[in-house]
Amino acid sequence: MKHLNRIMPILFILPMITLAGCVNDKSENEPRPNVRPMVDAIQQADEDWIWISGQRWHLTSIEGNPAIADTSLDLNFKEHTWLEGNAGCNRYTASYIHKAEAGLQIKEILSTRMFCAQPAGIMQQESRYFQLLKQVDTYHAQPDELSMFIDGDKVLTFGTGLEEDSP
């Protein structure tokens, strides 16, 4: 009888262990989400960033309107953390964070403090340009165009400027 008292708990626990093992085996055989497309997209974005950061981008439109004639606004991404450019009147530099596929955050914009009277509206355009740059959250790039967005709305469009350099 004592022998049976020792075996009973083992006979009760053994099926429980077996069932627990089956549950674990079943969950291991369930399909896992395929993260490869996401990894591929991030790797492609990093490769794209190399040519994006190798260009000097010239502003072609601001909030859908062309830049003021006879002004030159541009930006050039440097290294992996800062950019520089001309805002029409003043030179500027800023730090930035390139995020995952198409995320971009530009912050800490520093500029010279010159005043330009001509062409008319240049200082207002420069001020608005800086405001928008600080709010940009995503971008989309093609070989000859870089667009920047705030909450899905295109606010800044840049070109490579190659058409200006052509004879």
Side-chain angles (χ1 to χ4, degrees):
M1 194 64 140
K2 286 184 181 183
H3 183 44
L4 190 56
N5 286 341
R6 282 191 218 155
I7 295 176
M8 282 301 272
I10 294 172
L11 292 175
F12 179 73
I13 293 174
L14 188 58
M16 298 298 250
I17 293 171
T18 305
L19 285 175
C22 290
V23 170
N24 287 338
D25 286 343
K26 184 178 178 184
S27 64
E28 287 179 15
N29 292 330
E30 290 179 6
R32 295 180 186 206
N34 182 2
V35 297
R36 189 74 214 160
M38 182 176 68
V39 170
D40 289 344
I42 292 170
Q43 287 174 341
Q44 184 63 51
D46 287 341
E47 290 174 18
D48 289 347
W49 193 253
I50 292 169
W51 67 262
I52 292 169
S53 62
Q55 295 283 341
R56 178 161 297 276
W57 297 96
H58 300 274
L59 185 73
T60 57
S61 72
I62 181 168
E63 296 180 303
N65 300 309
I68 295 173
D70 299 323
T71 61
S72 176
L73 289 88
D74 62 38
L75 73 88
N76 187 10
F77 294 95
K78 298 290 195 176
E79 301 301 316
H80 292 288
T81 60
W82 66 281
L83 60 86
E84 65 179 10
N86 186 329
C89 181
N90 290 286
R91 301 272 319 143
Y92 69 96
T93 186
S95 63
Y96 74 89
I97 299 171
H98 175 236
K99 302 175 181 180
E101 289 180 59
L104 182 63
Q105 181 183 12
I106 299 171
K107 53 186 182 175
E108 301 177 35
I109 298 174
L110 304 172
S111 73
T112 56
R113 295 181 178 252
M114 295 187 301
F115 175 80
C116 297
Q118 296 296 322
I122 189 170
M123 297 310 296
Q124 292 83 358
Q125 175 179 267
E126 184 173 282
S127 177
R128 186 64 181 149
Y129 176 69
F130 286 149
Q131 288 172 349
L132 294 172
L133 273 181
K134 286 190 266 185
Q135 295 176 48
V136 163
D137 54 20
T138 56
Y139 70 92
H140 175 75
Q142 298 173 352
D144 59 348
E145 183 178 287
L146 173 66
S147 302
M148 294 186 180
F149 299 84
I150 299 172
D151 295 328
D153 295 327
K154 186 190 298 189
V155 294
L156 298 170
T157 306
F158 298 85
T160 58
L162 295 176
E163 62 279 353
E164 297 169 8
D165 298 336
S166 300

